[in-house]
Amino acid sequence: VQLQASGGGLVQAGGSMRLSCAASGNISIINAMGWYRQAPGKKRELVAVIFSSRRPNYGDSVKGRFTISRDNTKNTVYLQMNSLKPEDTAVYTCHADVGELSDLYWGQGTLVTVSS
């Protein structure tokens, strides 16, 4: 399974940006897909995850500003980020929980930089 992320870049504070992550390969079922992020000098944290059978989870710092969605026909997950803040600056990495054994896959990170 391969995860291809797109989006990222530089945006001003208060702006918006959308990240995408497409899964390909030997996929039987995607149990969950989502994003983590890691800022310099900080621990990796959950941004958002969307499940096949229950409501999404969001990290506390992004609730109300970020929205995760999923296109099952394309095995793609989207992260719409609004009202961005400089503290949202981080490398965002897509992940997917795939198959009956919940194998975990990671995409390449994409840098999001929010300028003040």
Side-chain angles (χ1 to χ4, degrees):
V1 176
Q2 294 81 42
L3 301 179
Q4 180 66 49
S6 60
L10 176 64
V11 63
Q12 288 189 333
S16 298
M17 181 178 287
R18 190 176 81 157
L19 304 181
S20 301
C21 179
S24 62
N26 186 17
I27 300 171
S28 55
I29 182 172
I30 298 178
N31 303 306
M33 286 185 75
W35 298 87
Y36 280 79
R37 70 184 183 186
Q38 188 167 19
K42 294 188 177 181
K43 293 181 179 180
R44 186 175 66 184
E45 63 173 346
L46 172 70
V47 178
V49 58
I50 189 165
F51 302 92
S52 61
S53 59
R54 55 187 174 99
R55 298 181 67 174
N57 282 350
Y58 293 92
D60 289 341
S61 61
V62 306
K63 285 180 181 177
R65 299 188 297 122
F66 290 12
T67 302
I68 190 168
S69 61
R70 179 173 163 178
D71 185 338
N72 292 327
T73 64
K74 298 179 179 179
N75 289 331
T76 298
V77 64
Y78 304 96
L79 183 68
Q80 179 65 42
M81 304 183 291
N82 298 328
S83 302
L84 283 161
K85 305 175 181 179
E87 50 264 44
D88 293 317
T89 296
V91 174
Y92 287 68
T93 305
C94 173
H95 75 280
D97 177 326
V98 178
E100 294 183 355
L101 299 181
S102 291
D103 295 320
L104 196 59
Y105 297 91
W106 295 89
Q108 83 282 9
T110 185
L111 177 62
V112 173
T113 303
V114 184
S115 63
S116 57

